[in-house]
Amino acid sequence: MIEIQDISYKYAGSRVNVFDHFSLTLNENSIYGLLGKNGTGKSTLLYLISGLLRQQKGSVKVDGMESRERMPEMLREVFIVPEELELPPLSLESFVKLNEPFYPRFSHELLQNCLKEFELPADLKFNELSMGQKKKVYMSFALATNTKLLLLDEPTNGLDIPSKSQFRKVVASGMSDGRTIVISAHQVHDVEQLLDRIVIINNKQLLLNASTAAITSKYSFGYRMPSEMGSDVIYAEPTIQGNAVITLREQDAEETPLNLELLFNAVNKNLINQ
């Protein structure tokens, strides 16, 4: 669905490329976690995919269409929720009337369900909302558009603990066949239960693009006391419970839940790769 081929990009006035000969393919019907250290280009990549930024070299295609051309046929199938947003001083009802005609599969039912999950009324006005509430309303509208591609940039920033749980339920309920959701996040524990695939980037490079199923079929995640550390440990970090470890999964061993933070750190130390 998304084909990024050999792109290079740098911001105006900068001498340093954010991406240099970077390639990535994202398939439909998945929820991707886009991970990377601060400043590695996660947000930039989302804006390149949506066509809000244009690469200097290479190609970014969404369903075969160049994103930089921002054709209406592509734009009606792409929705991006930025990390920081400003909403016009409108009621939600007016905002929906203005924007829903552009999205052929817009669902009022899904919008109402999302608002209900977020414990927000339908008759709200944007200028009366806190920043966290604005983000929840905008994410509800984004899911209700039913676009094939939904890009979420740090969606849990500004949300309290109960709202983060609500966010996971809302995204899961808004996922449908043929849809792709890409979530850029540095608060990995907020999203790890949602993800089908993990993409990790750093230093202009793609470090990992793998399904969570493939990762947990190959590796085990758990805790060991210092006396239990053995040669099978690929990566370890000290914690209150003992050492958090990644090991190769034994053939008959039960599958363990993915520890995304541990995986991220191991990948960035080149201890796990594609």
Side-chain angles (χ1 to χ4, degrees):
M1 182 179 181
I2 302 170
E3 297 176 295
I4 300 169
Q5 295 291 331
D6 201 33
I7 65 167
S8 296
Y9 179 80
K10 64 180 177 181
Y11 287 97
S14 174
R15 297 181 180 180
V16 180
N17 280 6
V18 181
F19 293 106
D20 193 11
H21 300 290
F22 179 87
S23 298
L24 172 67
T25 298
L26 304 178
N27 298 316
E28 66 179 5
N29 201 30
S30 295
I31 301 180
Y32 282 84
L34 177 61
L35 312 180
K37 297 177 182 178
N38 289 340
T40 55
K42 301 188 300 296
S43 299
T44 301
L45 187 59
L46 296 186
Y47 281 92
L48 287 166
I49 292 171
S50 69
L52 291 170
L53 294 177
R54 298 180 178 183
Q55 69 278 6
Q56 283 85 26
K57 296 180 181 178
S59 172
V60 180
K61 292 183 178 180
V62 177
D63 271 356
M65 294 174 279
E66 284 282 355
S67 66
R68 65 186 299 160
E69 295 178 3
R70 291 184 59 77
M71 298 172 64
E73 295 85 352
M74 186 203 84
L75 294 179
R76 67 169 60 105
E77 295 295 350
V78 178
F79 200 97
I80 184 168
V81 177
E83 180 179 4
E84 298 180 1
L85 55 92
E86 290 292 334
L87 295 177
L90 297 173
S91 67
L92 176 59
E93 181 182 8
S94 298
F95 184 81
V96 170
K97 284 182 179 179
L98 283 171
N99 290 281
E100 70 164 311
F102 189 70
Y103 302 101
R105 294 183 302 281
F106 188 89
S107 170
H108 286 269
E109 181 181 0
L110 181 54
L111 175 61
Q112 295 304 317
N113 289 342
C114 291
L115 292 172
K116 184 178 179 180
E117 189 64 53
F118 277 132
E119 299 177 355
L120 291 170
D123 58 343
L124 52 82
K125 296 180 180 179
F126 293 151
N127 59 355
E128 296 175 353
L129 302 178
S130 68
M131 182 52 65
Q133 289 173 320
K134 288 180 181 179
K135 202 160 195 176
K136 288 187 278 190
V137 171
Y138 200 63
M139 282 192 288
S140 298
F141 179 85
L143 286 160
T145 60
N146 270 316
T147 54
K148 289 184 180 179
L149 179 60
L150 178 58
L151 308 171
L152 304 178
D153 191 12
E154 303 290 352
T156 60
N157 278 7
L159 299 184
D160 57 23
I161 292 174
S163 296
K164 290 177 180 180
S165 177
Q166 293 169 336
F167 162 77
R168 289 189 288 270
K169 293 178 183 177
V170 164
V171 172
S173 67
M175 186 62 180
S176 57
D177 289 343
R179 191 170 211 181
T180 300
I181 300 177
V182 184
I183 304 174
S184 165
H186 66 269
Q187 301 286 349
V188 294
H189 290 309
D190 293 342
V191 300
E192 64 184 350
Q193 299 173 23
L194 287 170
L195 307 178
D196 301 311
R197 298 190 64 91
I198 310 298
V199 172
I200 299 177
I201 60 176
N202 193 22
N203 296 326
K204 309 170 192 175
Q205 294 181 326
L206 175 64
L207 302 184
L208 183 73
N209 182 7
S211 68
T212 55
I215 293 166
T216 54
S217 69
K218 186 175 182 180
Y219 301 102
S220 292
F221 300 82
Y223 294 90
R224 291 188 182 181
M225 299 307 293
S227 60
E228 300 172 322
M229 300 295 286
S231 59
D232 61 330
V233 174
I234 296 171
Y235 179 72
E237 291 181 0
T239 70
I240 295 175
Q241 299 99 322
N243 291 315
V245 300
I246 302 176
T247 61
L248 284 173
R249 183 183 172 191
E250 296 181 3
Q251 187 172 2
D252 298 326
E254 187 175 339
E255 186 175 293
T256 61
L258 174 65
N259 184 326
L260 193 50
E261 183 175 331
L262 205 62
L263 175 71
F264 176 81
N265 292 335
V267 169
N268 274 281
K269 292 181 182 295
N270 295 317
L271 297 174
I272 290 177
N273 50 43
Q274 300 193 74

